[in-house]
């Protein structure tokens, strides 16, 4: 098996432009090709993906990574450059069996209020509708219908602070393997709630920990692949802002 990996991650505060300015290219930590393999062994999304691929003997095609700290809206030309870097990598490696991405879920570029939704739409135009494309993403993602209908499966952090990122990255690889082998056929449902939730720890004794317990109970049911409550990022002024429940099952939309 041959899996491509890539990353484009930014938590965008659309209200922060007056303070931080627009987010430009130099704000991102950018890596190309084999430079991504430096994340191996790290407790990050990409680190978990790389380690799980290595554990399974999957050939890795590292494409591109751009990650920046939270700040204002990403400049249009910067996003388009990064998007094209990922798309070119996919066009140049048309023999891949799957794509596993690190995204944030609350990315906004100027003219692209649902940056991750636009990214997966562009990716599907290159790789087609059936190639497994999974993603690991931040608990504070503002999840859109464009994302849940076009990604094969999404795996968000369960914990805040985010100490489980490598686990979610590994989970995204595992789901891609299962989809590729037709062991599972993931289908995802999204419920968006009209709630703006401030940063809320999932440590034991706090309300968000109780949400995780409910998700864990749901995940224990036969046929359920994943259930995550995304807290959302309230400082992103877009149509998809809010709390989101995302549940993925094995070909059982009613479940």
């Amino acid at each position: 098996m041959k899996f491509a990996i890539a990353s484009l991650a930014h938590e965008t505060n659309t209200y922060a432009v007056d303070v931080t300015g627009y987010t430009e290219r130099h704000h991102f930590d950018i890596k190309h090709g084999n430079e991504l393999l430096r994340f191996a062994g790290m407790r990050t999304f990409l680190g978990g993906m790389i380690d799980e691929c290595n554990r399974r003997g999957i050939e890795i095609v590292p494409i591109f990574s751009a990650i920046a700290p939270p700040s204002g809206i990403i400049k249009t030309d910067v996003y388009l450059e990064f998007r094209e870097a990922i798309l070119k990598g996919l066009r140049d490696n048309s023999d891949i069996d799957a794509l596993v991405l690190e995204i944030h879920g609350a990315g906004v570029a100027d003219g692209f209020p649902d940056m991750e939704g636009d990214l997966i739409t562009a990716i599907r135009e290159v790789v087609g509708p059936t190639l497994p494309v999974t993603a690991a993403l931040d608990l504070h993602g503002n999840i859109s219908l464009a994302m849940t209908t076009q990604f094969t499966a999404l795996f968000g952090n369960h914990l805040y602070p985010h100490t489980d990122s490598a686990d979610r990255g590994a989970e995204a690889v595992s789901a891609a393997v299962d989809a590729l082998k037709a062991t599972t056929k993931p289908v995802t449902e999204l419920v968006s709630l009209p709630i703006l939730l401030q940063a809320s720890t999932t440590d034991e004794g706090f309300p968000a920990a109780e949400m995780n317990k409910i998700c864990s109970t749901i995940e224990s049911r036969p046929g359920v692949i994943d259930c995550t409550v995304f807290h959302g990022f309230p400082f992103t002024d877009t149509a998809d802002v809010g709390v989101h429940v995302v549940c993925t099952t094995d070909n059982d939309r009613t479940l």
Side-chain angles (χ1 to χ4, degrees), residues 46 87 95 124 130 146 148 154 158 175 178 198-199 224 228 234-235:
L46 284 177
L87 298 180
D95 60 340
R124 283 296 180 199
T130 60
T148 58
L154 298 168
H158 295 170
D178 290 343
Q198 289 280 31
V224 177
T228 300
F235 305 111

Side-chain angles (χ1 to χ4, degrees), residues 158 209-221 224-229:
H158 295 170
E210 298 305 310
M211 294 195 295
N212 277 350
K213 290 177 183 178
I214 295 170
C215 287
S216 180
T217 299
I218 292 170
E219 283 188 9
S220 70
R221 296 176 64 178
V224 177
I225 295 171
D226 187 78
C227 183
T228 300
V229 176

Side-chain angles (χ1 to χ4, degrees), residues 37-227:
L37 300 180
R38 298 175 187 176
F39 288 99
M42 296 185 184
R43 299 298 297 169
T44 63
F45 289 130
L46 284 177
M49 294 170 189
I50 293 166
D51 292 348
E52 184 65 15
C53 283
N54 288 336
R55 188 184 73 81
R56 290 174 173 267
I58 298 170
E59 182 181 350
I60 299 171
V61 180
I63 293 179
F64 176 79
S65 173
I67 303 172
S71 50
I73 297 169
I74 302 169
K75 290 185 68 176
T76 307
D77 61 330
V78 175
Y79 167 59
L80 292 178
E81 175 191 338
F82 294 164
R83 186 183 73 178
E84 178 55 29
I86 294 172
L87 298 180
K88 183 179 185 303
L90 295 173
R91 289 192 292 265
D92 291 346
N93 295 277
S94 59
D95 60 340
I96 59 169
D97 297 303
L99 168 64
V100 186
L101 283 173
E102 173 186 354
I103 54 178
H104 183 280
V108 178
D110 194 12
F112 299 91
D114 177 15
M115 188 178 76
E116 290 88 354
D118 176 80
L119 177 62
I120 183 59
T121 299
I123 286 170
R124 283 296 180 199
E125 291 175 356
V126 173
V127 304
T130 60
L131 186 88
V133 182
T134 61
L137 63 163
D138 197 287
L139 178 69
H140 298 109
N142 293 318
I143 310 304
S144 69
L145 193 61
M147 294 165 63
T148 58
T149 56
Q150 296 186 90
F151 278 102
T152 305
L154 298 168
F155 299 93
N157 288 117
H158 295 170
L159 304 179
Y160 182 59
H162 304 318
T163 55
D164 63 332
S165 294
D167 297 331
R168 303 289 78 80
E171 201 170 18
V173 170
S174 297
V177 171
D178 290 343
L180 180 63
K181 293 182 175 180
T183 305
T184 62
K185 184 178 179 181
V187 294
T188 299
E189 281 292 322
L190 166 69
V191 177
S192 298
L193 307 177
I195 299 170
L196 296 181
L197 184 65
Q198 289 280 31
S200 305
T201 179
T202 57
D203 289 346
E204 186 65 32
F206 289 87
E210 298 305 310
M211 294 195 295
N212 277 350
K213 290 177 183 178
I214 295 170
C215 287
S216 180
T217 299
I218 292 170
E219 283 188 9
S220 70
R221 296 176 64 178
V224 177
I225 295 171
D226 187 78
C227 183

